[in-house]
Amino acid sequence: MKSKLFVPASRPELFEKALNSQADALSFDLEDAVLEMHKDQARQQLNDFLQSLQPESQKKTIIVRINDMGTAWFEDDLQACMVDAVDMINIPKIESSEQMKDFFVAFDKAASALDKPPAILVNIETALALINAAAIAATDRRIAGLQLGLGDLFEPLGIRRYEPATVHHVMLNLRLAAGSAGIYAYDSAYANIGNSEGFRQEAMLAKSLGFLGKTCIHPSQIAIANEVFAPSQEEIDWARKIVESADQASHGAYVLDGQMIDVPFINKAKMILRQIGQ
C-alpha cells in the first residue's frame, strides 16, 4: 500500500476515476470531506457503490474513513462498511485504548454477519493519541496499522506543519509505537498540492523511518508515492545478496562486504523481496 488516495464520499462522480487510478488503495471519506448536511446522502451513495464491487476482481485495497464515535453518524457509517468489498475501516479521533475497546464492541456487533470483517486503521491525530499510541496499537490484533494525521495534530497547537525536524520527531514516535505492537505505520496527507517536491521529501522521510506508504489527496501525488515507497534497484540487489548469503551461512551472525549480518538484516531483506513478489 505505497499510495492511498482520499476520495470524498460526497463525490460519486470520482469513484470510478479513483478505481482506474494508479493508487494501491482508495480511502473513501465520510468524515472531514463531507459537510454535515450531506453525511447521510454520501453514506448511501458510497454503500451503493461498494455493494456493486466484486471483491474477487478488485485489485485495490478499499478503505472507508468513518466519522468518530462521538458523532451521530458513527453507527450508521460503521454499518455501511459491512460490505465484502471493504478491506479496512479507518477510525478517527481515537485517543486511548479504552476508546479503542469501546469501538470494538460496536464493531463486533456490526460485523457479526460477515465471514471476513474489515481490518482497522487507527488515526493518531491529537497530542493525547500520540502519547497513548503504543497502548492503542496493542489493544486488539485486528488493528492493522496506525495512521498519522499531522494537520489535525499540529494546527490546533500552533505547530508548523512543514518543519522537517518536528515532522521527523512525530513520525519516529508513531513508528516506534506501531512497531511495539508489530503493526505498520502509515504517513499523513500533504495538503500543499502544488509543492510536489515537498511531498516527495516528506515521503522519503517517512520511508526512511519505516512507514508503509503515504496518503494522497490529489491524483498528482500518486506517482510520487509509488516511486518513493517502491524498493529501489539498489535495495533489491542488496536484499537478494543478503538472502543468498544467509542460505549459505554457517553461523547466525557473519560478515558480508564489511558489514555484520544477523537476523534483523535478513528479515529486512526478506521483507523487501516480498514487496516485489519474491
Side-chain angles (χ1 to χ4, degrees):
M1 203 163 72
K2 303 181 295 298
S3 56
K4 174 172 65 65
L5 179 64
F6 260 121
V7 185
S10 55
R11 300 283 305 279
E13 72 276 12
L14 299 179
F15 293 175
E16 285 292 340
K17 291 180 180 179
L19 277 180
N20 292 323
S21 74
Q22 295 302 307
D24 291 342
L26 304 179
S27 182
F28 294 97
D29 188 21
L30 290 166
E31 195 207 13
D32 289 346
V34 181
L35 295 173
E36 289 188 10
M37 67 185 75
H38 298 146
K39 295 282 191 184
D40 293 337
Q41 181 183 7
R43 183 193 311 112
Q44 187 59 58
Q45 289 172 161
L46 177 59
N47 184 258
D48 290 343
F49 176 73
L50 295 172
Q51 294 278 8
S52 73
L53 296 177
Q54 300 298 320
E56 62 275 6
S57 62
Q58 182 52 248
K59 296 181 179 179
K60 294 188 187 303
T61 300
I62 301 297
I63 304 168
V64 179
R65 182 168 78 169
I66 63 176
N67 287 280
D68 71 82
M69 291 191 294
T71 68
W73 309 289
F74 167 72
E75 290 187 2
D76 288 337
D77 285 358
L78 190 59
Q79 193 61 55
C81 293
M82 299 306 154
V83 179
D84 288 339
V86 177
D87 300 298
M88 193 173 296
I89 295 172
N90 180 203
I91 177 69
K93 306 297 186 292
I94 292 291
E95 294 190 308
S96 69
S97 59
E98 288 73 21
Q99 282 185 324
M100 202 71 248
K101 290 174 184 176
D102 289 341
F103 166 82
F104 276 109
V105 170
F107 177 83
D108 288 340
K109 181 179 179 181
S112 59
L114 288 182
D115 293 331
K116 185 181 178 183
I120 306 301
L121 176 64
V122 183
N123 280 11
I124 302 298
E125 50 192 343
T126 69
L128 184 57
L130 187 61
I131 291 170
N132 292 330
I136 292 170
T139 304
D140 194 285
R141 59 181 176 77
R142 290 169 290 182
I143 298 174
L146 302 181
Q147 178 170 271
L148 188 57
L150 287 176
D152 288 276
L153 176 61
F154 284 174
E155 296 298 337
L157 301 177
I159 300 172
R160 292 183 179 179
R161 163 64 182 84
Y162 299 107
E163 189 69 39
T166 309
V167 173
H168 179 282
H169 177 78
V170 174
M171 280 186 179
L172 179 58
N173 275 281
L174 186 82
R175 181 66 187 97
L176 292 175
S180 71
I183 63 177
Y184 66 76
Y186 205 84
D187 195 18
S188 182
Y190 191 90
N192 190 351
I193 297 170
N195 186 0
S196 59
E197 184 56 31
F199 179 89
R200 178 183 294 277
Q201 291 299 319
E202 192 165 279
M204 291 173 65
L205 174 61
K207 181 182 179 181
S208 75
L209 293 172
F211 278 63
L212 184 65
K214 188 162 182 63
T215 299
C216 303
I217 58 172
H218 191 271
S220 64
Q221 297 175 332
I222 296 171
I224 300 173
N226 285 343
E227 178 189 341
V228 169
F229 285 95
S232 67
Q233 189 59 52
E234 181 179 0
E235 289 173 318
I236 293 170
D237 292 343
W238 174 85
R240 285 173 175 158
K241 192 171 186 179
I242 294 296
V243 171
E244 290 172 3
S245 67
D247 290 340
Q248 300 171 8
S250 56
H251 300 284
Y254 59 95
V255 176
L256 179 68
D257 296 338
Q259 179 182 356
M260 188 198 78
I261 303 298
D262 59 5
V263 173
F265 295 95
I266 297 168
N267 288 342
K268 180 181 178 181
K270 290 179 179 178
M271 180 184 68
I272 291 171
L273 295 182
R274 283 197 298 270
Q275 286 181 270
I276 62 170
Q278 295 186 9

